Amino acid sequence: MGIGRTTQRDQASGHSRRKLLSAGALLVLGGAVTPLTGCDLFDRDDQPAPPPDPLRPMVDESLALAAAYRASATAHPELADRLNPIAETHTAHATELARVIGVTVPSAASAAPTTAPAADPNGARAALRALEKTAQQSATAACAAAPAERAALLGSIVAARATHQEALK
């Protein structure tokens, strides 16, 4: 040990204990920061947003169908007993689809029908049948392209839309 020296040196490397402790502390701090970079804490938002779920249009379509049924039921009160349960079914489909894809459903009151209801009840039923047929075709296509865990839900929506067409005859 040298005179006036306050730190000991490692005999093999010649480094002081203070330098070794400082280097160890830096390694520990560096090791603590490294895992944080993997959790996007320090990453920038320069990555593109993920594409929308392919079932999102089905949510919107179900809400539009529900709105069309409600508008027709309002315009033709004599059809309300037949149309309101179908409107509720479409709202339930939209709610379940939204749950599956992780989005919130706008309120049913905010969904507006895309067209005005027909002037007479028979015309209204025919127009709704045409909407159901188009919607059934889009649900069939979505079902065919969907992964297995979504196919059962989409298949039941396809079947419901076919049933709605029959109920409107």
Side-chain angles (χ1 to χ4, degrees):
M1 181 119 42
I3 300 176
R5 190 175 292 173
T6 58
T7 60
Q8 293 181 342
R9 293 199 182 268
D10 184 1
Q11 298 297 330
S13 66
H15 296 297
S16 70
R17 186 181 309 150
R18 186 176 295 156
K19 284 184 181 179
L20 289 173
L21 289 173
S22 295
L26 287 174
L27 285 174
V28 168
L29 286 175
V33 172
T34 301
L36 293 177
T37 60
C39 67
D40 292 340
L41 182 63
F42 297 112
D43 288 348
R44 295 189 321 258
D45 288 335
D46 54 354
Q47 294 187 8
D53 194 287
L55 293 184
R56 179 59 207 213
M58 294 287 301
V59 174
D60 299 333
E61 183 178 60
S62 294
L63 291 173
L65 284 167
Y69 275 91
R70 286 189 185 95
S72 291
T74 301
H76 307 289
E78 66 275 15
L79 295 177
D81 288 344
R82 185 186 282 186
L83 301 183
N84 285 331
I86 298 174
E88 291 306 315
T89 301
H90 286 299
T91 301
H93 290 164
T95 302
E96 183 60 18
L97 287 164
R99 185 195 65 76
V100 166
I101 65 174
V103 298
T104 56
V105 178
S107 69
S110 68
T114 55
T115 59
D120 67 296
N122 290 335
R125 286 193 345 242
L128 290 171
R129 261 195 326 272
L131 287 174
E132 285 285 357
K133 184 173 179 124
T134 302
Q136 181 190 11
Q137 291 168 346
S138 67
T140 301
C143 184
E149 64 271 7
R150 293 179 171 189
L153 172 62
L154 292 169
S156 68
I157 291 172
V158 170
R161 290 177 179 179
T163 303
H164 297 163
Q165 291 175 57
E166 292 301 313
L168 291 168
K169 287 186 176 179

